[in-house]
Amino acid sequence: MAKVRVAKQKDKNEFYRLWKACFGDSDAFCDWFFENRFSPEDSVVLETEGEIASCMQAFPYTIQIRGKEIPGAMLCGVSTHPDHRKKGFMGKIFSYEMNYLRKRGFLTAVHTPAVLPSYFSFGHFPVADAAYLKCNVIPSLKQTDHICIMEENRWKDLYPLYSHFSEKYSGIIKRTKADFVRKAADYAADGGKSIAYIEHEIIKAYAFYYQTDEEMICVEAVAEDGYWEKLMEGLFALGKGLSFSAKLPPDVKVSFPFATLGKFQKGVMGLCNAGALLKTLNLSVPYGFKLIDPVISEHNTTFDFHGNPYPGSPVFEISAGHLLQVLVGYYSLHELRNEIVIYDEAKFDEIDHLLPKQNCYIIDEY
């Protein structure tokens, strides 16, 4: 009999075992991660036949949506042991976790899975894109004097640039300085390095990256306008002859004759508490809509855009996952009209104009 429950501190070794079985990360990374990141009070497990067969972790963070700070959680380590797959365990823990996070006061849950469609059935739909700059071989480039290796004692100096950068995007994690430095340590635990582009003693750009004998992968990059190409050139100079990939914000435009730039969906979000989210966003939108959610029963009602029950006729009917895509600003209502039941076209158009799209990006993996 499968049973889902909130995780306990004593479950850490089982979480570690599942992580290793499913993701194959290094011992150094896993040791650091489970010593510094494990948060059992926000995570859940599924037990069957006397063992933990499936689990997922959640970490509390502030998420910015349409300029408002939202209490949310980032999910990670969603895993089922290979011996227990195809049994519906993932659906059980997702339903339990989303309702549990709601009770804990979280309004949304975000994550950046490798295979996004795996989570669509749970109402977790894309809310952000990322651009990827790639090349097969980095040519020989001259190193600039402005590039500086950032050691551990200087990670905190990168935070002001990150904090300013994060203000631009909807859906992004709003990390504290302590969270930011811990994330840098997270990268370093698995061999990650950091550089910064410094001009007149001011940090204009930074990157965290991994480098092996064959490849360089930049997992986080932040820059002021006009410094993205300079930052990439700094990485190229360090990685001559290697293959290269860098994750960049979707609105960044960089061009190199030896590299390609493509944009892909990267990052999904689930809705924990529609009413509280709408109250926090404080949208100046009239009328009401009918919400449908197979995961959280309290969502199956008609709301106004202030998060209150709406006594009148709804203008449209929408699923929780698609509503969140609109509230974050990733899609407009019209872009999702084939997924929406519309009862009043004129009012639907009016609401659509009052919910403009936003610049969306999720920089973090966990």
Side-chain angles (χ1 to χ4, degrees):
M1 182 70 176
K3 176 186 176 183
V4 184
R5 62 168 173 82
V6 178
K8 302 175 182 177
Q9 186 64 35
K10 68 178 184 180
D11 297 324
K12 184 165 73 170
N13 289 340
E14 287 296 296
F15 271 79
Y16 189 111
R17 177 184 65 84
L18 266 178
W19 189 291
K20 289 287 289 184
C22 296
F23 306 121
D25 287 309
S26 69
D27 289 345
F29 169 78
C30 290
D31 289 346
W32 187 93
F33 186 89
F34 282 95
E35 184 62 33
N36 295 276
R37 285 292 192 96
F38 186 54
S39 180
E41 64 272 16
D42 297 310
S43 305
V44 300
V45 301
L46 182 147
E47 291 179 312
T48 185
E49 299 173 7
E51 66 175 357
I52 294 176
S54 189
C55 67
M56 62 191 303
Q57 298 184 60
F59 309 113
Y61 287 117
T62 298
I63 300 173
Q64 180 168 276
I65 297 179
R66 292 187 182 267
K68 301 292 177 60
E69 294 189 351
I70 306 298
M74 175 162 270
L75 307 179
C76 83
V78 182
S79 51
T80 299
H81 192 278
D83 294 342
H84 292 283
R85 290 175 183 168
K86 308 292 185 182
K87 298 179 180 179
F89 289 171
M90 196 63 67
K92 291 180 183 298
I93 64 170
F94 250 93
S95 179
Y96 190 99
E97 177 75 295
M98 292 299 291
N99 281 277
Y100 176 64
L101 291 175
R102 175 188 175 90
K103 292 176 184 176
R104 297 268 292 165
F106 299 107
L107 310 189
T108 65
V110 63
H111 50 126
T112 53
V115 183
L116 273 62
S118 300
Y119 301 91
F120 292 175
S121 62
F122 310 127
H124 288 225
F125 292 133
V127 294
D129 296 330
Y132 285 86
L133 181 70
K134 297 184 177 182
C135 72
N136 293 326
V137 180
I138 301 173
S140 179
L141 293 176
K142 182 181 178 181
Q143 179 62 279
T144 172
D145 293 336
H146 294 287
I147 290 293
C148 175
I149 301 295
M150 300 299 285
E151 302 293 349
E152 179 178 356
N153 64 338
R154 297 201 65 189
W155 290 340
K156 65 182 184 302
D157 298 334
L158 304 174
Y159 180 74
L161 180 59
Y162 163 85
S163 182
H164 178 71
F165 164 85
S166 66
E167 293 293 334
K168 298 167 53 178
Y169 298 100
S170 185
I172 200 165
I173 299 291
K174 292 283 292 180
R175 289 182 179 265
T176 64
K177 183 185 288 188
D179 284 334
F180 178 84
V181 172
R182 184 174 63 171
K183 179 175 64 170
D186 196 332
Y187 293 139
D190 209 22
K193 301 176 182 178
S194 177
I195 62 169
Y197 187 95
I198 302 177
E199 190 174 84
H200 305 303
E201 300 184 359
I202 298 174
I203 296 173
K204 298 292 187 177
Y206 74 78
F208 285 98
Y209 65 96
Y210 298 96
Q211 185 172 341
T212 69
D213 293 338
E214 298 179 348
E215 64 182 1
M216 173 181 278
I217 300 176
C218 173
V219 292
E220 178 172 327
V222 168
E224 291 185 5
D225 292 342
Y227 288 88
W228 287 102
E229 290 192 349
K230 292 180 174 65
L231 178 63
M232 294 299 104
E233 289 168 354
L235 289 170
F236 294 151
L238 293 171
K240 180 181 69 173
L242 304 178
S243 66
F244 179 81
S245 175
K247 178 186 175 184
L248 305 175
D251 54 329
V252 166
K253 303 293 188 294
V254 292
S255 179
F256 298 94
F258 53 85
T260 60
L261 183 69
K263 187 167 70 172
F264 305 91
Q265 289 183 325
K266 181 68 173 177
V268 301
M269 191 180 292
L271 185 59
C272 299
N273 194 322
L277 177 60
L278 288 163
K279 281 183 172 67
T280 304
L281 293 177
N282 194 28
L283 300 166
S284 298
V285 179
Y287 314 123
F289 63 92
K290 185 178 180 180
L291 189 58
I292 304 296
D293 190 345
V295 175
I296 296 178
S297 61
E298 292 90 343
H299 283 165
N300 293 292
T301 189
T302 301
F303 288 97
D304 65 19
F305 280 88
H306 300 289
N308 302 310
Y310 186 70
S313 299
V315 174
F316 59 86
E317 180 180 315
I318 190 170
S319 73
H322 291 312
L323 174 69
L324 192 51
Q325 289 180 306
V326 173
L327 295 181
V328 173
Y330 182 67
Y331 282 136
S332 68
L333 280 172
H334 266 290
E335 286 174 325
L336 289 174
R337 64 177 296 120
N338 290 337
E339 308 292 338
I340 299 171
V341 179
I342 303 171
Y343 302 117
D344 189 320
E345 287 281 355
K347 291 178 180 177
F348 180 82
D349 289 343
E350 184 179 348
I351 296 171
D352 182 59
H353 287 304
L354 294 171
L355 294 172
K357 292 178 66 174
Q358 303 291 298
N359 204 9
C360 300
Y361 184 49
I362 301 172
I363 195 171
D364 302 293
E365 297 296 322
Y366 41 77

